């Protein structure tokens, strides 16, 4: 059997968010139960595979995994890779899967390049729609649109277990036809839930994400169990007593929580 454990559910910078005094952030500072780590999951097959190397990885894992799948080159998804280096656990050729472009960026730029020179990581490039077989499960990367200015690209991952399938799409700019069909094709989907609505931040056009409320409309008739993750500190869904949370749950959707586990 394969199991996916949810390790983190926040936008890259976590909750609380540095420099922010909003109610969600102040609540999280006062109550550790309300802190959220950056979005990541762990697949347990015969081995243990991390998806997204977050700056919170030292709280999310207690041991070196057997492999790590990277989605893209932003703060919450890449920088945790440094914890596999000599200043930390000094991993021994940890297989790290990424796009060809991201593989080259890691190899050629410090401080990440030292991970390759010191053989802490063994970089492996993945290709759109080409499955990586593990023991029981298989992992298939799909290119998704997210900040086209990022030349290294962005991936969502589909995990097929012996019985069920899961999509991990932590960061997408919009719910394109492709993303929507990837969601509809699986049993469980972890979907970009950064913002509930477009009025949460001033510069929303600079950081496009599908709003949770629009995704709920688009996916209302989907058979997939949809959990929203990658929540920004401004998102009212962070408050379990909010009207937004009530609307989400009464429509049959959920907010992903750290510690949730999903059997595949
Ligand atoms: Zn992100
Ligand atoms: Zn805040
Ligand atoms: Zn991103």
């Amino acid at each position: 059997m394969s199991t996916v454990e949810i390790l983190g559910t926040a936008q890259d910078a976590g909750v609380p968010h540095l420099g922010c005094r909003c109610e969600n952030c102040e609540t999280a500072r006062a109550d550790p139960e309300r802190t959220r780590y950056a979005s990541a999951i762990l697949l347990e097959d015969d081995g243990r595979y991390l998806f997204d190397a977050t700056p919170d990885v030292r709280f999310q894992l207690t041991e070196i995994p057997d492999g790590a799948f990277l989605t893209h080159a932003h703060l919450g998804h890449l920088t945790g890779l440094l914890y596999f280096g000599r200043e930390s656990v000094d991993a021994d050729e940890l297989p790290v899967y990424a796009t060809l472009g991201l593989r080259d960026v890691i190899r050629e730029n410090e401080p990440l390049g030292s991970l390759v020179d010191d053989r802490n990581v063994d970089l492996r490039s993945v290709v759109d729609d080409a499955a990586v077989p593990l023991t029981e499960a298989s992992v298939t990367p799909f290119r998704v649109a997210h900040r086209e200015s990022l030349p290294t690209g962005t991936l969502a991952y589909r995990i097929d277990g012996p019985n069920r399938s899961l999509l991990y799409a932590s960061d997408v700019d919009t719910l394109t036809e492709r993303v929507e069909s990837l969601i509809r094709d699986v049993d469980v989907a972890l979907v970009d839930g950064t913002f509930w609505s477009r009025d949460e931040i001033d510069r929303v056009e600079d950081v496009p994400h599908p709003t949770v409320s629009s995704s709920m409309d688009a996916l209302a008739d989907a058979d997939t169990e949809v959990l929203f993750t990658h929540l920004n500190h401004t998102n009212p869904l962070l408050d379990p007593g909010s009207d937004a949370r009530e609307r989400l749950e009464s429509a049959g959707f959920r907010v992903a929580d750290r510690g949730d586990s999903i059997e595949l």
Side-chain angles (χ1 to χ4, degrees):
M1 191 185 359
S2 305
T3 306
V4 166
E5 186 191 345
I6 296 177
L7 302 179
T9 56
Q11 177 268 1
D12 301 44
V15 182
H17 191 95
L18 181 64
C20 184
R21 296 273 178 191
C22 79
E23 202 177 320
N24 284 336
C25 289
E26 292 291 46
T27 303
R29 286 187 187 99
D31 178 4
E33 290 287 304
R34 294 283 294 273
T35 62
R36 284 185 184 252
Y37 300 144
S39 178
I41 59 173
L42 184 74
L43 166 64
E44 296 195 46
D45 188 54
D46 252 9
R48 301 162 80 246
Y49 299 88
L50 178 68
F51 289 72
D52 275 332
T54 88
D56 301 318
V57 68
R58 69 199 172 99
F59 301 109
Q60 294 173 314
L61 293 180
T62 48
E63 290 163 28
I64 303 173
D66 297 296
F69 289 85
L70 301 179
T71 60
H72 66 296
H74 283 155
L75 166 69
H77 306 268
L78 174 66
T79 57
L81 206 58
L82 289 169
Y83 282 94
F84 297 108
R86 284 192 173 169
E87 301 91 335
S88 180
V89 291
D90 197 18
D92 182 18
E93 300 197 325
L94 171 73
V96 172
Y97 301 85
T99 63
L100 194 63
L102 182 52
R103 185 198 70 173
D104 290 345
V105 165
I106 293 169
R107 207 184 253 168
E108 290 159 18
N109 293 280
E110 289 304 325
L112 293 164
S114 291
L115 298 170
V116 181
D117 299 339
D118 296 339
R119 297 177 185 266
N120 299 124
V121 299
D122 172 14
L123 293 176
R124 302 176 184 194
S125 60
V126 294
V127 179
D128 184 77
D129 205 2
V132 178
L134 303 175
T135 307
E136 297 227 18
S138 73
V139 175
T140 310
F142 291 96
R143 291 291 281 247
V144 293
H146 173 57
R147 310 297 183 274
E148 289 303 309
S149 58
L150 195 67
T152 48
T154 297
L155 299 171
Y157 286 101
R158 176 181 166 133
I159 303 170
D160 284 278
N163 301 309
R164 300 206 301 161
S165 54
L166 177 143
L167 182 77
Y168 180 63
S170 52
D171 248 308
V172 293
D173 286 357
T174 57
L175 215 61
T176 57
E177 225 170 277
R178 181 178 217 203
V179 173
E180 199 180 317
S181 79
L182 287 170
I183 293 170
R184 286 177 181 271
D185 278 354
V186 292
D187 295 298
V188 185
L190 286 159
V191 176
D192 181 334
T194 310
F195 301 119
W196 169 254
S197 66
R198 289 180 61 83
D199 55 14
E200 278 167 51
I201 62 167
D202 295 336
R203 52 190 181 93
V204 72
E205 51 291 329
D206 296 339
V207 282
H209 290 278
T211 62
V212 173
S213 41
S214 65
S215 298
M216 283 167 53
D217 291 341
L219 299 168
D221 63 344
D223 291 332
T224 308
E225 182 185 346
V226 176
L227 286 77
F228 289 95
T229 190
H230 196 273
L231 273 64
N232 200 52
H233 66 108
T234 54
N235 193 322
L237 289 172
L238 291 172
D239 177 359
S242 63
D243 291 346
R245 183 74 81 100
E246 152 106 56
R247 272 185 54 196
L248 179 94
E249 290 176 354
S250 59
F253 299 96
R254 280 209 287 137
V255 169
D257 279 314
R258 182 169 82 229
D260 283 354
S261 123
I262 299 155
E263 288 185 6
L264 298 181

